[in-house]
Amino acid sequence: MLRFAFKPRHPVTKVAFTADGRELVTAQPFTGIAVRSVLSGDARWIYPTSTVATFLTLAVEQRDGLIAGQTERGALLVDPRAGCAVSPHPRPDVSVATERFRLQWHDIGSNLHRLVAGRAPFESRSRGVRVAMSTVPRALLYLSDGGQPQLTCPRTGYTLVKLNSPVRLRHIVSGRIVIAFSPDGNKLVLGDGESLRVFGYADCEPRFCETDAQRPLIHPLFTLERPDPTTHGTFADKQAEHWLPPVAFDHAGRTLFTLGLRNRVQRIDLATGGVICGWGWRCEPIRSLAVAPDDLTAAAGCQRGEVVLWDLE
């Protein structure tokens, strides 16, 4: 196990591995986006940001190494090889570039940019809003306040499946949502602050549907309910109004990493929903999780500028 503390000690709100697994990308408010060695924690390259905006998403494009980050104040797309930003921060139309590079993205429209930042009301609640895309361009997630979440094919626009989930557009408005696709684009986890529901849709094919009743509905593979903090939870667990843990899939699509009580990372078997094992360290609350492409190493970003890396073997 390796443990690094960065200065200044701003929260590590997002972590991600590069394609070869030799470097770790960290995102921190004020500090910005940094590419660091997994052996020493030293920063090879930093793109600074001068705002306090929290990073909502962070993705590394596997072929070209481009890094996309989404904050409450806008989007950022940077190229560490060139040592510059492809698009300055913020830029609403950066979603075009992230879609082109097939990055998972938590925001597709300028309306939703303003919605997340809380600077303007959402004007049309009747229509769905495209809010996330799998890294492999297989599925787009649509949310609305009038119906169940839907997955659609990004190439044809046809429906893949409807999801039996309580998540609606209003959960994004309030920031009470967890969204994560598996690297193979065949699984999705959705959280609404009370539970995490894991869906598998590998066998679903896009189909044209004229009415909502024609769209196929699938149920979760399993549901992880919010742990009861009254017995073994810490004070922070008991004070939390909603349960919004960081989540990360392994690249083989067999397990899910999430956060349980007492700041412990749990590894969940996607076939059964059971806990395989867990890890805990004396560190500040964990804000983000990531798994290396070879599934041999995992990383956790913490509240006080720390990153923990550990072997999964």
Side-chain angles (χ1 to χ4, degrees):
M1 189 269 286
L2 296 175
R3 186 168 176 171
F4 307 119
F6 307 135
K7 294 182 179 181
R9 304 192 68 175
H10 299 139
V12 182
T13 55
K14 290 295 173 185
V15 290
F17 284 91
T18 56
D20 58 11
R22 298 177 181 177
E23 293 180 313
L24 187 71
V25 181
T26 60
Q28 299 171 269
F30 284 120
T31 303
I33 294 176
V35 180
R36 303 177 183 274
S37 167
V38 298
L39 298 178
S40 65
D42 294 337
R44 174 177 67 82
W45 182 84
I46 296 178
Y47 184 83
T49 58
S50 58
T51 68
V52 73
T54 298
F55 282 86
L56 304 173
T57 59
L58 184 71
V60 182
E61 202 275 325
Q62 299 300 298
R63 184 183 60 188
D64 298 323
L66 294 174
I67 301 170
Q70 170 68 36
T71 78
E72 296 164 331
R73 300 189 179 184
L76 182 67
L77 187 67
V78 297
D79 185 355
R81 297 176 305 174
C84 65
V86 177
S87 66
H89 171 85
R91 179 178 169 183
D93 62 347
V94 72
S95 57
V96 177
T98 56
E99 253 189 273
R100 185 170 70 248
F101 293 114
R102 299 183 298 182
L103 298 172
Q104 180 176 329
W105 201 243
H106 186 69
D107 178 351
I108 302 291
S110 58
N111 282 338
L112 199 54
H113 273 279
R114 296 195 298 269
L115 186 65
V116 171
R119 294 195 292 266
F122 189 63
E123 297 174 356
S124 177
R125 295 182 180 271
S126 61
R127 65 182 178 87
V129 174
R130 184 172 45 175
V131 295
M133 181 171 66
S134 61
T135 308
V136 176
R138 167 165 164 72
L140 283 168
L141 174 66
Y142 276 79
L143 294 181
S144 70
D145 270 341
Q148 290 164 316
Q150 296 182 25
L151 292 177
T152 63
C153 175
R155 292 189 176 93
T156 64
Y158 291 169
T159 299
L160 279 170
V161 73
K162 285 192 305 184
L163 308 175
N164 184 12
S165 168
V167 171
R168 298 293 185 267
L169 184 62
R170 61 180 177 272
H171 291 100
I172 286 190
V173 180
S174 61
R176 185 162 54 95
I177 193 170
V178 176
I179 303 173
F181 282 94
S182 63
D184 61 7
N186 289 325
K187 293 183 179 68
L188 168 71
V189 58
L190 281 178
D192 64 341
E194 296 299 329
S195 65
L196 294 177
R197 299 190 180 199
V198 180
F199 296 89
Y201 51 93
D203 298 329
C204 299
E205 296 296 332
R207 53 186 292 187
F208 175 74
C209 301
E210 293 184 351
T211 65
D212 185 67
Q214 294 177 334
R215 296 183 174 96
L217 176 68
I218 63 170
H219 299 276
L221 299 174
F222 60 88
T223 301
L224 299 175
E225 299 293 344
R226 179 177 183 171
D228 183 7
T230 58
T231 53
H232 299 95
T234 62
F235 178 76
D237 294 327
K238 297 175 183 178
Q239 292 296 109
E241 183 179 359
H242 302 295
W243 185 51
L244 301 170
V247 294
F249 286 94
D250 68 3
H251 288 252
R254 298 191 183 98
T255 58
L256 174 74
F257 294 79
T258 187
L259 198 62
L261 293 176
R262 305 188 69 83
N263 207 36
R264 286 184 60 84
V265 177
Q266 295 180 331
R267 190 174 192 175
I268 309 295
D269 187 348
L270 290 176
T272 64
V275 178
I276 299 175
C277 56
W279 301 268
W281 310 276
R282 291 185 177 180
C283 61
E284 294 292 332
I286 293 174
R287 298 286 301 274
S288 52
L289 294 170
V291 182
D294 59 7
D295 289 335
L296 298 179
T297 308
C302 306
Q303 176 70 24
R304 293 278 294 168
E306 291 182 318
V307 167
V308 177
L309 291 98
W310 73 98
D311 292 332
L312 299 178
E313 287 290 289

